Amino acid sequence: MILPINIKFNDKTPKFYGEESGKKPDEMYDGDTLLENNFSTRARIGVDKITKAFTVYPVKGMTGSINSNFYEFLTMGNVPYIIGSITLMSIFNAYKSYAHRDKLRASQLGNKMALGVLFYGLFKEFSKNFIDKPVKWFTGIDTQIPYARVIHQLQQSPQDSDLTSIEYHKIGESVDFTRWDLLYKKTGTPEHNLIFDKIAKKNGLGENLNDSDQEVKPIYKEVLIKSNLARTISSYLWAAVGVGLAFQNSWKHYFKVMNFKIWQPKVFAHSIKIFGKSALKATESFLNGKEKSKSIAGKHSGKILLGTALASTILGLANTLHITKKPSKSNIKSVMNDKKETVVC
């Protein structure tokens, strides 16, 4: 049975449909729905996926549900990642039974590891914008547009009816199976190819094209492939920069006054101030390297790592923006000679 695809478009910021009607999350969409790529949407998707990775999906897998699928398996990959991160952050901080000297050393290492885990995640995720944002500015192509996919599940008991679940994917998640259908506006309207028209204009293909979608799709695919590679390589290098920055000794001043009690404004403000100063000193020591080291790598390891991350971003971005799939600018007038006789069959 082939189920119909019902696509919803909203000129305003797309919402999680049904949230005002009291519906359950899996009932918020009548069909696959394009979502706005903004912080609130990404946050909602992230919370939904992590929550289900710890609750719904493991239960379905352990009970042998016929509706458990590969998407849920991949989503549960967040579970060991989060548990492992918490373990690294806490393993050296569980020093209550240590001797006094060991407590101090364990505390210093534990705080660095905790900060390293935090910086790893922040630098890795934020650095993806170094590729995504410029690509969108220069080409008009947003490679990270999310959409909600409605999955019609199989009946597990006679009482079940119209079982559905929601998966969150991205338009260009698969280069070979890009969800072009979600990029079209309402059929039969002047805005049917609106998104493709904007991309075509941005890339110098002209305006008022008869089939802008056909002109744009090869470009879109090329940008997806190149940006995915650039994002993957550069994000891990930036994550390494974050870890290197976290392991500088300059943070010990912040660890002494570290405080997250926002209900104590003065203490919290002082903690933030010291964090800023420690961050500057940590950056300086990261770039200067070990002064006593005789090797070039020891003295300039921070600069080398930072330079590598910057180079990977710049080269990856340059490669992505170098589009080779643009159609030829030659038109019918340059191909046909009006002065010569032609035969129409």
Side-chain angles (χ1 to χ4, degrees):
M1 178 179 179
I2 299 177
L3 297 168
I5 296 176
N6 182 15
I7 306 169
K8 288 189 176 184
F9 293 95
N10 194 332
D11 293 334
K12 298 179 180 179
T13 302
K15 298 179 179 180
F16 284 70
Y17 293 99
E19 61 183 356
E20 296 178 357
S21 62
K23 291 183 179 181
K24 296 179 180 179
D26 290 350
E27 299 174 345
M28 291 181 181
Y29 306 95
D30 295 328
D32 293 0
T33 307
L34 192 69
L35 303 175
E36 185 78 4
N37 184 16
N38 55 31
F39 178 78
S40 61
T41 301
R42 293 192 296 270
R44 289 284 298 273
I45 290 174
V47 171
D48 180 86
K49 293 176 74 172
I50 291 175
T51 302
K52 290 181 178 178
F54 278 92
T55 56
V56 179
Y57 298 158
V59 172
K60 290 176 67 176
M62 288 186 289
T63 56
S65 171
I66 56 177
N67 291 311
S68 184
N69 58 28
F70 192 57
Y71 168 84
E72 297 175 0
F73 169 75
L74 291 178
T75 303
M76 284 191 292
N78 290 316
V79 174
Y81 180 82
I82 293 173
I83 293 176
S85 297
I86 294 174
T87 301
L88 282 174
M89 295 172 73
S90 60
I91 189 169
F92 284 98
N93 289 316
Y95 49 80
K96 293 182 179 179
S97 59
Y98 294 177
H100 180 71
R101 177 185 293 181
D102 293 334
K103 281 185 180 181
L104 181 61
R105 292 178 178 177
S107 174
Q108 292 175 347
L109 181 57
N111 287 332
K112 286 182 180 180
M113 292 190 71
L115 194 62
V117 171
L118 179 62
F119 277 12
Y120 176 90
L122 290 176
F123 275 61
K124 183 173 179 291
E125 289 303 313
F126 184 78
S127 63
K128 293 178 181 179
N129 291 309
F130 298 160
I131 300 295
D132 296 335
K133 296 299 183 182
V135 166
K136 185 178 180 181
W137 293 335
F138 287 106
T139 67
I141 298 174
D142 187 350
T143 60
Q144 302 299 305
I145 303 177
Y147 73 94
R149 182 183 178 189
V150 178
I151 303 297
H152 296 271
Q153 299 184 330
L154 299 173
Q155 188 179 35
Q156 298 185 103
S157 66
Q159 292 76 28
D160 293 337
S161 62
D162 194 25
L163 294 176
T164 60
S165 66
I166 300 297
E167 295 180 2
Y168 295 102
H169 298 271
K170 294 176 182 176
I171 294 294
E173 191 171 78
S174 171
V175 177
D176 294 324
F177 301 99
T178 307
R179 290 299 303 269
W180 303 117
D181 57 305
L182 296 179
L183 295 178
Y184 290 103
K185 296 293 184 178
K186 189 175 181 181
T187 305
T189 64
E191 296 185 344
H192 179 60
N193 279 359
L194 180 62
I195 294 177
F196 296 102
D197 289 339
K198 290 181 178 179
I199 297 175
K201 181 181 178 181
K202 194 80 173 179
N203 288 277
L205 302 183
E207 300 181 56
N208 301 319
L209 301 176
N210 292 329
D211 298 300
S212 60
D213 54 339
Q214 300 305 315
E215 304 280 0
V216 164
K217 286 178 181 179
I219 297 175
Y220 204 111
K221 281 190 173 184
E222 182 181 0
V223 170
L224 279 177
I225 295 170
K226 290 181 176 180
S227 63
N228 285 339
L229 176 63
R231 188 187 310 108
T232 301
I233 294 174
S234 66
S235 64
Y236 280 104
L237 287 171
W238 281 108
V241 171
V243 174
L245 189 65
F247 270 78
Q248 301 304 309
N249 292 326
S250 306
W251 292 106
K252 63 183 180 181
H253 302 292
Y254 170 67
F255 294 144
K256 291 179 180 179
V257 298
M258 184 171 53
N259 193 298
F260 301 105
K261 298 178 180 180
I262 57 176
W263 56 89
Q264 297 179 356
K266 292 183 178 180
V267 177
F268 182 71
H270 178 67
S271 176
I272 295 297
K273 183 179 179 180
I274 299 300
F275 176 85
K277 290 182 178 180
S278 297
L280 290 174
K281 290 182 179 179
T283 302
E284 184 179 352
S285 61
F286 173 73
L287 294 175
N288 292 333
K290 297 179 180 179
E291 296 180 358
K292 297 181 180 180
S293 178
K294 296 181 180 180
S295 65
I296 297 177
K299 290 183 178 180
H300 305 287
S301 57
K303 294 177 183 177
I304 293 171
L305 181 56
L306 179 60
T308 304
L310 281 170
S312 68
T313 302
I314 295 171
L315 292 175
L317 186 58
N319 181 55
T320 303
L321 297 179
H322 178 63
I323 300 173
T324 61
K325 301 294 184 182
K326 288 186 179 181
S328 175
K329 293 184 179 180
S330 60
N331 52 37
I332 191 65
K333 291 183 179 181
S334 63
V335 176
M336 302 295 292
N337 190 340
D338 295 336
K339 295 181 180 179
K340 292 186 178 182
E341 294 182 0
T342 56
V343 177
V344 180
C345 298

